[in-house]
Amino acid sequence: MEQFLEKHLWKGTVLLSVVVVITATTLGVADISFLDTMKILLDRVPMLDLDLEGIRNSSQTIVWSIRFPRVLLALLVGGTLAICGASYQGMFKNPMADPYILGVSSGAALGATIGIVFRFSFQFLGLNSIALMAFAGAILSLFLVYNISRVGNKVPVNTLLLSGIAIGQFLSAIVSLLMIFSDEINRVVFWTMGSFNAKSWSQLFIVFPYMAIGVVILYAQHRELDIMLLGEDTAAQLGVDTERLKKKVLLVTAIITGAAVSVTGIIGFVGLIVPHVVRILTGPKHKRLIPYSFVVGGLFMIICDTLARTLTSQEIPVGIITSLFGGPFFIYLLKKRKKSGV
């Protein structure tokens, strides 16, 4: 059975990804068939010139300019958040670590809230002021957490996690305070719940370089992350520069998370759930865990976003859907740790 999974798991994952992407692109308020969606997408492939006669121009616009970039952005955001979670869990040896535990999301939320409340209106590299403030907030919060946790030239993992939780709560309190004294409370609340609504190719192209480079850098650390599973002291004895690895992983994941949050708002629990599910199929080695987490995280996000925009006549923020899955899963992890006496 294990040999069968080893041989066919990747092929099955790729096939499933294609089906999910096309199906999600097909579903929506406008009635467009699965076959027409495939034709519209394949027609964009170089060297292919399909006959689109009979397919309305409006359908082609909806599929290519609205739904498809939204689905690809969900794939990218979900995938990168998932590998951030896999990297954190490996580095911290903590199954409940995810991209938001270090206060990065709270920093992004505070940055976006300041942008909304004070009505900043500027753009840079295609990102609006709210997205830029969110990105800056994410990076600055990590910088703050890291420096508070640092003891000499070292950053103890437990101190880092506790500092992240404390700073995250503190920043969240400031967000709540700003909301109380602002008449923009609805915009802030909607942003903090996360959404892919009205996202297009432009947002996808803006965040793609950050995320693609981040994925490559994190994957390149897979051997060191495997050794970190043996414990920080053992990893250091085996030649791993643990402090350098922490800095690299923290910086890269902060940039990835900041990029994701800047265009979608806060979407939690993806980095928590997905690596655990993938670990059941692939085992703990990061050489397989990271790429499979990317694909499964992306598919999970696509499914959640599709549910968010099709369950009711009014779109539900996707962060609510992921939280509905993530909350019970988090409780399951807590109960599992309690039973194991950890």
Side-chain angles (χ1 to χ4, degrees):
M1 185 62 184
E2 288 183 3
Q3 289 181 346
F4 178 83
L5 281 175
E6 180 82 23
K7 188 175 180 180
H8 298 287
L9 185 58
W10 186 244
K11 296 177 184 174
T13 305
V14 172
L15 180 61
L16 178 64
S17 302
V18 173
V19 172
V20 170
V21 167
I22 297 176
T23 302
T25 307
T26 302
L27 296 175
V29 176
D31 186 18
I32 303 171
S33 71
F34 186 87
L35 185 59
D36 286 349
T37 301
M38 283 189 63
K39 283 183 178 178
I40 294 168
L41 296 179
L42 288 173
D43 185 61
R44 298 286 180 161
V45 177
M47 310 298 289
L48 284 181
D49 186 18
L50 300 183
D51 180 14
L52 299 182
E53 188 176 353
I55 302 176
R56 291 174 296 181
N57 290 333
S58 59
S59 297
Q60 296 179 39
T61 302
I62 289 170
V63 167
W64 183 252
S65 301
I66 299 175
R67 291 182 185 170
F68 191 51
R70 176 173 177 153
V71 169
L72 291 184
L73 184 63
L75 177 70
L76 192 60
V77 169
T80 50
L81 291 179
I83 66 167
C84 287
S87 302
Y88 277 155
Q89 289 162 17
M91 190 171 69
F92 296 144
K93 287 191 67 182
N94 187 322
M96 288 182 283
D98 81 341
Y100 298 97
I101 201 169
L102 293 180
V104 176
S105 64
S106 299
L110 178 59
T113 301
I114 292 173
I116 293 171
V117 169
F118 292 98
R119 299 177 182 178
F120 293 156
S121 59
F122 54 85
Q123 287 197 340
F124 182 70
L125 295 176
L127 290 174
N128 62 28
S129 55
I130 297 173
L132 290 169
M133 290 294 292
F135 191 87
I139 301 300
L140 288 174
S141 63
L142 178 67
F143 178 79
L144 184 63
V145 169
Y146 182 84
N147 281 284
I148 289 175
S149 310
R150 191 169 59 183
V151 180
N153 293 324
K154 292 190 175 182
V155 179
V157 169
N158 289 336
T159 309
L160 188 70
L161 291 172
L162 292 173
S163 299
I165 293 170
I167 293 296
Q169 292 298 318
F170 176 70
L171 298 179
S172 296
I174 297 177
V175 170
S176 300
L177 196 63
L178 289 171
M179 288 167 63
I180 290 173
F181 294 105
S182 171
D183 56 357
E184 298 283 354
I185 186 169
N186 290 335
R187 285 185 66 194
V188 175
V189 169
F190 189 79
W191 189 91
T192 54
M193 290 191 292
S195 175
F196 289 95
N197 187 27
K199 300 300 179 291
S200 62
W201 287 109
S202 61
Q203 284 88 5
L204 180 64
F205 290 145
I206 288 169
V207 299
F208 180 79
Y210 300 101
M211 294 182 171
I213 294 171
V215 169
V216 172
I217 293 174
L218 288 179
Y219 182 74
Q221 316 308 313
H222 64 84
R223 289 189 179 87
E224 287 84 355
L225 289 171
D226 286 346
I227 299 173
M228 285 290 280
L229 293 174
L230 302 173
E232 192 172 342
D233 293 337
T234 304
Q237 291 171 3
L238 292 174
V240 175
D241 187 340
T242 56
E243 296 306 316
R244 183 168 171 269
L245 179 65
K246 285 179 199 172
K247 290 178 185 175
K248 190 181 294 184
V249 171
L250 289 173
L251 180 61
V252 172
T253 52
I255 291 173
I256 290 176
T257 306
V261 171
S262 68
V263 296
T264 65
I266 296 176
I267 303 174
F269 288 110
V270 180
L272 174 69
I273 299 174
V274 173
H276 287 283
V277 175
V278 173
R279 212 172 273 118
I280 295 172
L281 296 172
T282 66
K285 290 190 175 181
H286 291 82
K287 185 175 183 179
R288 300 187 69 198
L289 179 63
I290 288 176
Y292 278 106
S293 290
F294 179 86
V295 175
V296 176
L299 295 181
F300 173 70
M301 186 66 83
I302 291 173
I303 292 170
C304 287
D305 182 51
T306 304
L307 290 173
R309 61 186 170 85
T310 58
L311 277 179
T312 64
S313 57
Q314 182 178 358
E315 181 169 330
I316 304 169
V318 69
I320 293 177
I321 304 294
T322 58
S323 297
L324 288 174
F325 287 108
F329 193 81
F330 191 78
I331 294 170
Y332 161 76
L333 287 178
L334 286 174
K335 291 181 73 69
K336 188 178 177 183
R337 282 170 66 89
K338 187 178 178 182
K339 285 181 180 177
S340 63
V342 178

